[in-house]
mmCIF file of all heavy atoms in Angstrom:
data_model
loop_
_atom_site.group_PDB
_atom_site.id
_atom_site.type_symbol
_atom_site.label_atom_id
_atom_site.label_comp_id
_atom_site.label_asym_id
_atom_site.label_seq_id
_atom_site.Cartn_x
_atom_site.Cartn_y
_atom_site.Cartn_z
ATOM 1 N N THR A 233 24.122 86.715 160.573
ATOM 2 C CA THR A 233 23.927 85.517 161.387
ATOM 3 C C THR A 233 24.726 85.583 162.691
ATOM 4 O O THR A 233 24.441 84.785 163.590
ATOM 5 C CB THR A 233 24.392 84.280 160.618
ATOM 6 O OG1 THR A 233 25.825 84.265 160.471
ATOM 7 C CG2 THR A 233 23.765 84.198 159.216
ATOM 8 N N ARG A 234 25.702 86.457 162.781
ATOM 9 C CA ARG A 234 26.573 86.583 163.938
ATOM 10 C C ARG A 234 27.213 85.250 164.298
ATOM 11 O O ARG A 234 27.357 84.919 165.503
ATOM 12 C CB ARG A 234 25.823 87.208 165.136
ATOM 13 C CG ARG A 234 25.332 88.610 164.836
ATOM 14 C CD ARG A 234 24.826 89.353 166.089
ATOM 15 N NE ARG A 234 25.840 89.425 167.112
ATOM 16 C CZ ARG A 234 26.878 90.295 167.113
ATOM 17 N NH1 ARG A 234 26.994 91.152 166.109
ATOM 18 N NH2 ARG A 234 27.740 90.311 168.099
ATOM 19 N N THR A 235 27.599 84.492 163.321
ATOM 20 C CA THR A 235 28.276 83.227 163.533
ATOM 21 C C THR A 235 29.666 83.188 162.842
ATOM 22 O O THR A 235 30.439 82.286 163.117
ATOM 23 C CB THR A 235 27.469 82.031 163.009
ATOM 24 O OG1 THR A 235 27.266 82.220 161.594
ATOM 25 C CG2 THR A 235 26.087 81.982 163.665
ATOM 26 N N LYS A 236 29.920 84.178 161.984
ATOM 27 C CA LYS A 236 31.163 84.165 161.188
ATOM 28 C C LYS A 236 32.055 85.349 161.504
ATOM 29 O O LYS A 236 31.549 86.451 161.749
ATOM 30 C CB LYS A 236 30.821 84.154 159.693
ATOM 31 C CG LYS A 236 30.166 82.850 159.242
ATOM 32 C CD LYS A 236 29.619 82.914 157.807
ATOM 33 C CE LYS A 236 28.328 83.612 157.727
ATOM 34 N NZ LYS A 236 27.703 83.444 156.395
ATOM 35 N N VAL A 237 33.357 85.111 161.516
ATOM 36 C CA VAL A 237 34.325 86.166 161.798
ATOM 37 C C VAL A 237 34.436 87.128 160.625
ATOM 38 O O VAL A 237 34.548 86.695 159.449
ATOM 39 C CB VAL A 237 35.705 85.519 162.121
ATOM 40 C CG1 VAL A 237 36.729 86.631 162.343
ATOM 41 C CG2 VAL A 237 35.616 84.636 163.364
ATOM 42 N N GLU A 238 34.401 88.409 160.926
ATOM 43 C CA GLU A 238 34.588 89.398 159.879
ATOM 44 C C GLU A 238 35.978 90.078 159.998
ATOM 45 O O GLU A 238 36.937 89.663 159.440
ATOM 46 C CB GLU A 238 33.473 90.448 159.944
ATOM 47 C CG GLU A 238 32.120 89.872 159.537
ATOM 48 C CD GLU A 238 31.606 90.353 158.206
ATOM 49 O OE1 GLU A 238 31.454 91.583 158.059
ATOM 50 O OE2 GLU A 238 31.358 89.519 157.347
ATOM 51 N N GLU A 239 36.074 91.153 160.799
ATOM 52 C CA GLU A 239 37.365 91.835 161.037
ATOM 53 C C GLU A 239 37.278 92.594 162.313
ATOM 54 O O GLU A 239 36.333 92.487 163.066
ATOM 55 C CB GLU A 239 37.666 92.742 159.841
ATOM 56 C CG GLU A 239 36.676 93.864 159.560
ATOM 57 C CD GLU A 239 37.195 94.846 158.460
ATOM 58 O OE1 GLU A 239 38.101 95.596 158.790
ATOM 59 O OE2 GLU A 239 36.636 94.821 157.376
ATOM 60 N N THR A 240 38.323 93.383 162.583
ATOM 61 C CA THR A 240 38.273 94.280 163.747
ATOM 62 C C THR A 240 37.901 95.671 163.256
ATOM 63 O O THR A 240 37.566 95.858 162.078
ATOM 64 C CB THR A 240 39.665 94.340 164.442
ATOM 65 O OG1 THR A 240 40.549 95.080 163.602
ATOM 66 C CG2 THR A 240 40.208 92.951 164.722
ATOM 67 N N GLY A 241 37.970 96.659 164.123
ATOM 68 C CA GLY A 241 37.639 97.999 163.696
ATOM 69 C C GLY A 241 38.603 98.604 162.687
ATOM 70 O O GLY A 241 38.251 99.507 161.941
ATOM 71 N N GLY A 242 39.845 98.102 162.682
ATOM 72 C CA GLY A 242 40.827 98.692 161.778
ATOM 73 C C GLY A 242 41.771 97.703 161.105
ATOM 74 O O GLY A 242 42.797 98.099 160.576
ATOM 75 N N ALA A 243 41.452 96.385 161.123
ATOM 76 C CA ALA A 243 42.357 95.436 160.547
ATOM 77 C C ALA A 243 41.596 94.159 160.171
ATOM 78 O O ALA A 243 40.553 93.867 160.731
ATOM 79 C CB ALA A 243 43.483 95.084 161.551
ATOM 80 N N ASN A 244 42.136 93.430 159.190
ATOM 81 C CA ASN A 244 41.627 92.108 158.821
ATOM 82 C C ASN A 244 42.255 91.037 159.688
ATOM 83 O O ASN A 244 43.320 91.218 160.257
ATOM 84 C CB ASN A 244 41.978 91.803 157.360
ATOM 85 C CG ASN A 244 41.098 92.480 156.342
ATOM 86 O OD1 ASN A 244 41.213 92.241 155.152
ATOM 87 N ND2 ASN A 244 40.261 93.426 156.749
ATOM 88 N N PHE A 245 41.566 89.890 159.779
ATOM 89 C CA PHE A 245 42.100 88.736 160.482
ATOM 90 C C PHE A 245 42.852 87.789 159.582
ATOM 91 O O PHE A 245 42.512 87.626 158.394
ATOM 92 C CB PHE A 245 40.949 87.921 161.123
ATOM 93 C CG PHE A 245 40.442 88.480 162.417
ATOM 94 C CD1 PHE A 245 39.273 89.189 162.495
ATOM 95 C CD2 PHE A 245 41.162 88.243 163.611
ATOM 96 C CE1 PHE A 245 38.809 89.701 163.714
ATOM 97 C CE2 PHE A 245 40.708 88.755 164.829
ATOM 98 C CZ PHE A 245 39.526 89.471 164.870
ATOM 99 N N ILE A 246 43.877 87.173 160.117
ATOM 100 C CA ILE A 246 44.477 85.993 159.507
ATOM 101 C C ILE A 246 44.576 84.923 160.579
ATOM 102 O O ILE A 246 44.747 85.225 161.774
ATOM 103 C CB ILE A 246 45.854 86.216 158.891
ATOM 104 C CG1 ILE A 246 46.851 86.740 159.974
ATOM 105 C CG2 ILE A 246 45.797 87.207 157.735
ATOM 106 C CD1 ILE A 246 48.309 86.748 159.488
ATOM 107 N N PHE A 247 44.377 83.671 160.185
ATOM 108 C CA PHE A 247 44.516 82.543 161.108
ATOM 109 C C PHE A 247 45.469 81.530 160.529
ATOM 110 O O PHE A 247 45.589 81.410 159.303
ATOM 111 C CB PHE A 247 43.149 81.858 161.329
ATOM 112 C CG PHE A 247 42.102 82.758 161.943
ATOM 113 C CD1 PHE A 247 41.137 83.394 161.177
ATOM 114 C CD2 PHE A 247 42.086 82.974 163.327
ATOM 115 C CE1 PHE A 247 40.190 84.207 161.759
ATOM 116 C CE2 PHE A 247 41.148 83.779 163.927
ATOM 117 C CZ PHE A 247 40.166 84.404 163.113
ATOM 118 N N ILE A 248 46.159 80.815 161.378
ATOM 119 C CA ILE A 248 47.038 79.746 160.965
ATOM 120 C C ILE A 248 46.499 78.430 161.577
ATOM 121 O O ILE A 248 46.255 78.358 162.796
ATOM 122 C CB ILE A 248 48.529 79.943 161.448
ATOM 123 C CG1 ILE A 248 49.004 81.309 160.972
ATOM 124 C CG2 ILE A 248 49.390 78.813 160.928
ATOM 125 C CD1 ILE A 248 49.083 81.496 159.479
#
Side-chain angles (χ1 to χ4, degrees):
T233 70
R234 297 192 59 78
T235 61
K236 293 172 279 192
V237 176
E238 292 251 303
E239 60 172 289
T240 71
N244 282 188
F245 278 103
I246 59 170
F247 298 99
I248 307 297

